[in-house]
Amino acid sequence: MSAAPQRMIVGITGATGIQFGIRALEVLREMGVETHLVVSRAGEMTRAYETDMTRDQLHALADHVYPIQDVGAAIASGSFRTMGMLIAPCSVRTLAEVASGVTTTLLTRAADVVLKERRKLVLMVREAPLHARHIRNMLTVTEMGGIIHPPVPAFYTKPETIADLVDHALGRAFDCFDLDMPNMPRWGEEGEAAPSGAAVVRITP
């Protein structure tokens, strides 16, 4: 069998932080990865609250866009091969549906398909504080093979803008798919200085 196509499903839900989903689509296009986008109804509301971007402008960033209730879409089938799915941002409702396996939309159906096909599912869960059920749902998804990847900011890179924070958090999520975020600063790599006073330890085979 030939290698899986360079395709990724991108889900955007109603949690705050739609910038992560938008930036993911932009960077994946730069990387030459074909994107398949599905946005929840609450995600469309968040787009209007948090950006000046229109629905059409958001959809234009993706190669393929599916209505949220189109359960007959290609991404609802395991025979449609992809690298996996990134949900950015991921609401706790979406997390709960994925954890339960009771899916009500194309977005969560696609996530369920990714899990059953043993592909990569990365959830950039955006919620705080967390109660016990949130934490149990995260554990359940992890036990099912998913990756819980909250968009946690890193300050050792000395970010200067919000865009720097978004890119680094997204770059770490892309690492889960073995995709290299362009120009992302990494701890201890050649050409990247460690924070003042910190020692960089390199292990030579």
Side-chain angles (χ1 to χ4, degrees):
M1 183 180 292
S2 61
Q6 289 287 98
R7 296 183 186 131
M8 188 181 296
I9 305 167
V10 177
I12 295 177
T13 74
T16 188
I18 194 173
Q19 292 80 2
F20 293 105
I22 292 170
R23 185 63 177 142
L25 292 169
E26 293 173 344
V27 175
L28 289 169
R29 174 163 288 180
E30 292 170 7
M31 291 178 175
V33 176
E34 181 181 297
T35 52
H36 293 255
L37 174 65
V38 57
V39 185
S40 72
R41 290 191 178 93
E44 295 286 6
M45 293 173 62
T46 302
R47 170 192 53 74
Y49 291 141
E50 296 187 349
T51 77
D52 295 324
M53 182 174 282
T54 67
R55 180 175 180 273
D56 288 346
Q57 287 172 331
L58 172 61
H59 291 186
L61 296 175
D63 294 295
H64 303 274
V65 184
Y66 304 94
I68 190 65
Q69 294 299 338
D70 184 10
V71 293
I75 60 174
S77 172
S79 66
F80 184 76
R81 292 186 297 160
T82 68
M83 303 168 64
M85 182 174 187
L86 172 70
I87 304 181
C90 179
S91 67
V92 289
R93 171 172 178 164
T94 297
L95 168 69
E97 285 201 21
V98 174
S100 71
V102 180
T103 60
T104 63
T105 68
L106 175 61
L107 195 154
T108 49
R109 166 60 185 169
D112 195 60
V113 166
V114 167
L115 287 176
K116 80 180 183 69
E117 297 295 328
R118 306 302 192 267
R119 297 168 186 155
K120 292 287 183 67
L121 174 66
V122 177
L123 309 183
M124 297 188 77
V125 178
R126 177 63 181 80
E127 186 62 270
L130 300 169
H131 60 55
R133 177 50 60 190
H134 297 151
I135 296 169
R136 290 190 184 105
N137 285 341
M138 290 182 187
L139 175 60
T140 297
V141 170
T142 301
E143 290 173 339
M144 293 161 68
I147 299 173
I148 303 300
H149 202 302
V152 178
F155 293 97
Y156 62 82
T157 60
K158 299 181 180 178
E160 297 180 356
T161 66
I162 292 175
D164 290 339
L165 293 172
V166 169
D167 275 9
H168 194 269
L170 189 59
R172 295 291 289 117
F174 281 157
D175 283 350
C176 298
F177 297 95
D178 296 321
L179 293 174
D180 195 11
M181 182 80 165
N183 304 314
M184 190 180 91
R186 296 179 180 276
W187 180 274
E189 293 198 359
E190 295 296 335
E192 298 297 341
S196 177
V200 176
V201 178
R202 294 185 177 88
I203 300 175
T204 303

